Amino acid sequence: MKSISPQEYAQAVKAASPPSPVVKDCALAFLTGGLVCTLGQLLCQLYQNLGLDLPQARMAVSVSLILTSAALTALGWYDNIAKYAGAGVLVPITGFANSMVSPAMEFKSEGFITGLGAKLFTVAGPVLVFGITASVVYGLIIFIFQI
C-alpha cells in the first residue's frame, strides 16, 4: 500500500468534497434564527397581554421554546427542520432542548428509567437535568402561589 503525503491527502479530500453553499447556508440560518427570535417576541407580547408581567412573560417564552423544541425532537421533525435551517434553529435555548431530548429518544426502547432517564443523565449531566427540573418546579410554584 502506497503512503501519501498530508498535502496529497488534503487534495484528495478537497476533490471528493462537494462545495459548501456558504452564502445560502448563512442566509437560511439568519432567516430562521430571526424567525425563532420573532416567535419569542410574539410569545412575550402574548403572555403580557394575558396578564403576565415582563419577567414572567420572559420565563414563559423560555419554557414555551424549550417545550416546542423538545416536542419537535420527540416527533422526529427537529432534525428535518435543522437540515434546512442550519444554525438558525440551534440558537441556545432550542438547540439545548434538542441536545437533551435527542439522545434520550434513541434509547427510549430500553425503558423509561434505564433508557430514557439514564441517557438524559449521561448526555446532559446531572447538574443540567437537576438544574432545569428545579428551575421549572420553582417557577411553577411561584406562578401558582403568586409569591
Side-chain angles (χ1 to χ4, degrees), residues 68-81:
T68 301
S69 180
L72 289 173
T73 302
L75 293 170
W77 299 349
Y78 193 93
D79 288 341
N80 293 330
I81 294 168

Side-chain angles (χ1 to χ4, degrees), residues 51-121:
L52 297 180
D53 60 13
L54 186 57
Q56 290 175 331
R58 288 177 177 162
M59 177 197 60
V61 168
S62 296
V63 171
S64 297
L65 290 175
I66 289 169
L67 287 175
T68 301
S69 180
L72 289 173
T73 302
L75 293 170
W77 299 349
Y78 193 93
D79 288 341
N80 293 330
I81 294 168
K83 189 184 303 180
Y84 297 101
V89 293
L90 299 177
V91 290
I93 201 162
T94 55
F96 176 73
N98 173 260
S99 71
M100 282 192 63
V101 174
S102 189
M105 294 307 296
E106 290 179 30
F107 290 90
K108 71 180 179 184
S109 63
E110 295 178 22
F112 186 71
I113 301 297
T114 58
L116 190 77
K119 206 58 183 170
L120 278 174
F121 283 99

